[in-house]
């Protein structure tokens, strides 16, 4: 059941998790994670990650924030 719920995650949430992990890698100068590594870290399938990269949206951030 939990696997079903994880695969139904909104693309925006998964995309924000991906951006967070990649930003951490950038700040620590480690190599970018593979799809398999991202999947293991955030608990979503590789297919969901790819769909999130295509269909997900991030909230625009104001320069005043």
């Amino acid at each position: 059941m939990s696997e079903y719920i994880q695969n139904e995650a909104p693309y925006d949430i998964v995309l924000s998790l991906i951006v967070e992990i990649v930003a951490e890698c950038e700040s620590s100068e480690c190599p970018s994670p593979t799809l398999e590594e991202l999947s293991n870290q955030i608990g979503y399938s590789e297919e969901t990650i790819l769909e999130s990269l295509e269909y997900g949206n991030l909230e625009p951030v104001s320069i005043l924030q």
Side-chain angles (χ1 to χ4, degrees):
M1 174 93 177
S2 65
E3 185 176 323
Y4 173 77
I5 293 170
Q6 287 180 340
N7 288 334
E8 294 298 314
Y11 296 131
D12 298 347
I13 294 171
V14 176
L15 182 58
S16 65
L17 292 171
I18 293 167
V19 169
E20 185 178 313
I21 290 171
V22 171
E24 287 175 14
C25 286
E26 181 183 25
S27 66
S28 64
E29 298 183 12
C30 65
S32 296
T34 64
L35 278 175
E36 183 178 3
E37 291 169 342
L38 282 172
S39 179
N40 291 333
Q41 287 181 3
I42 64 175
Y44 292 99
S45 69
E46 293 177 20
E47 180 180 359
T48 301
I49 291 171
L50 290 172
E51 289 172 351
S52 297
L53 291 172
E54 185 172 353
Y55 302 116
N57 293 306
L58 296 174
E59 294 277 331
V61 177
S62 168
I63 60 171
L64 300 175
Q65 291 181 338

